[in-house]
Amino acid sequence: MRALAVHEDVIVVVSGVWQTTCTAVRSGDEGFVIDSPILPDELDALPALLEQAGFPVSGLLATHGDWDHLLGKLAFPERSLGVGESTAKRLSAAPGEPQRRLREFDADWYVEGRRRLGLGEFQALPTPGRISIGSETVNELEVHPVQGHTGDGVVFWVPWAETLICGDYLSPVEIPMISGESGGSLEAYRETLFRLSPLVNRSATVVPGHGTPLTNERALEILAEDLAYLNGLTAGADVTLPDGRRSATQKRVHEHNVASSPSP
Ligand SMILES: [Zn+2]
């Protein structure tokens, strides 16, 4: 697990597995933890790491309902979890699903020492909407709806840090992943990239759900590569995967995308 300060009020922790990111955002005496690292020792280390860095944790947030982003309660069991309205619906419709997927992952990778994941009473955030943070200097996090990777999700825009926390979009290590079985769709994914582009333009830092934080220039490059990839998929063309994202795993993701996209 690596911890990177991208702004005085934003720390990003990158998990040793899938480079899943977890972002701590603070404003004065309040702070949120968005998404989560994966391994038990990473989750155990998180409270002390944030305390030493002076990042209070008033609540937990998640970009979407895939299990690998929902583990914050294992580090901060007393804090409640806020998710976008679409994610709240998804989680309510399939209770126990993240826990089941987590158990499968742990069994596959012989991971031991996991506590039981209870998501508790998660809160549905108004989407689009704003969340106030801090009691003296009050700042606001913006919540914007996104869709395409799955049928649910939000991105968080941190205006005072010019940081976009964008969940499973704009990853430097993963090609666009269209999870048809979780409501993802190629067309929605493309629309999301168009809608994200003004936010990416305004940002100093973009934190993808998987991979290290990106500069504005790199995020814009990835956005263009991802759009080109999706356009190729739509046209049914022989698609070349973007540079640096051509591993056997990414080729399998591509095969899966082809299978779940409508043929032209
Ligand atoms: Zn993910």
Side-chain angles (χ1 to χ4, degrees):
M1 180 168 80
R2 284 173 298 152
L4 306 154
V6 300
H7 179 271
E8 63 174 327
D9 290 330
V10 183
I11 286 184
V12 179
V13 164
V14 184
S15 177
V17 178
W18 296 331
Q19 298 192 34
T20 303
T21 60
C22 167
T23 307
V25 178
R26 74 176 167 193
S27 175
D29 57 349
E30 279 195 338
F32 287 102
V33 168
I34 303 169
D35 290 351
S36 58
I38 292 183
L39 297 172
D41 54 349
E42 295 175 338
L43 289 155
D44 287 346
L46 196 55
L49 187 152
L50 293 182
E51 194 180 337
Q52 276 163 23
F55 277 65
V57 179
S58 340
L60 306 171
L61 300 169
T63 53
H64 62 297
D66 283 353
W67 70 269
D68 54 318
H69 300 263
L70 287 177
L71 308 181
K73 292 277 278 187
L74 291 172
F76 302 98
E78 310 300 317
R79 295 289 172 258
S80 63
L81 172 68
V83 293
E85 279 158 359
S86 55
T87 299
K89 272 196 201 121
R90 173 180 169 190
L91 294 176
S92 306
E97 175 72 8
Q99 288 86 350
R100 187 178 66 75
R101 300 292 302 272
L102 174 61
R103 279 196 302 274
E104 283 173 8
F105 173 87
D106 285 349
D108 283 351
W109 296 98
Y110 317 152
V111 174
E112 289 187 331
R114 183 80 71 180
R115 283 191 288 273
R116 205 187 72 81
L117 172 64
L119 294 180
E121 297 275 302
F122 46 83
Q123 293 169 15
L125 308 168
T127 320
R130 289 162 197 272
I131 310 169
S132 330
I133 163 172
S135 58
E136 280 157 31
T137 35
V138 183
N139 275 306
E140 280 184 329
L141 283 178
E142 290 179 19
V143 185
H144 297 267
V146 288
Q147 243 190 325
H149 163 55
T150 56
D152 70 297
V154 292
V155 299
F156 297 97
W157 169 245
V158 188
W160 71 98
E162 297 176 317
T163 298
L164 177 67
I165 295 136
C166 65
D168 284 5
Y169 299 88
L170 305 176
S171 169
V173 293
E174 254 176 14
I175 61 168
M177 192 184 281
I178 299 157
S179 301
E181 59 286 353
S182 305
S185 92
L186 196 158
E187 209 31 63
Y189 203 119
R190 224 171 14 179
E191 277 168 31
T192 289
L193 291 183
F194 282 120
R195 272 188 295 116
L196 284 182
S197 102
L199 282 175
V200 177
N201 260 312
R202 279 156 63 195
S203 58
T205 307
V206 172
V207 184
H210 299 271
T212 38
L214 307 165
T215 60
N216 161 287
E217 293 77 16
R218 183 70 188 118
L220 286 170
E221 271 171 26
I222 291 172
L223 196 148
E225 288 173 2
D226 287 358
L227 266 181
Y229 170 75
L230 295 172
N231 288 341
L233 262 190
T234 314
D238 267 339
V239 183
T240 317
L241 300 189
D243 225 2
R245 294 186 277 167
R246 287 179 192 152
S247 66
T249 304
Q250 297 313 303
K251 285 178 184 147
R252 277 197 300 279
V253 173
H254 172 62
E255 293 309 316
H256 184 87
N257 287 342
V258 171
S260 55
S261 307
S263 37

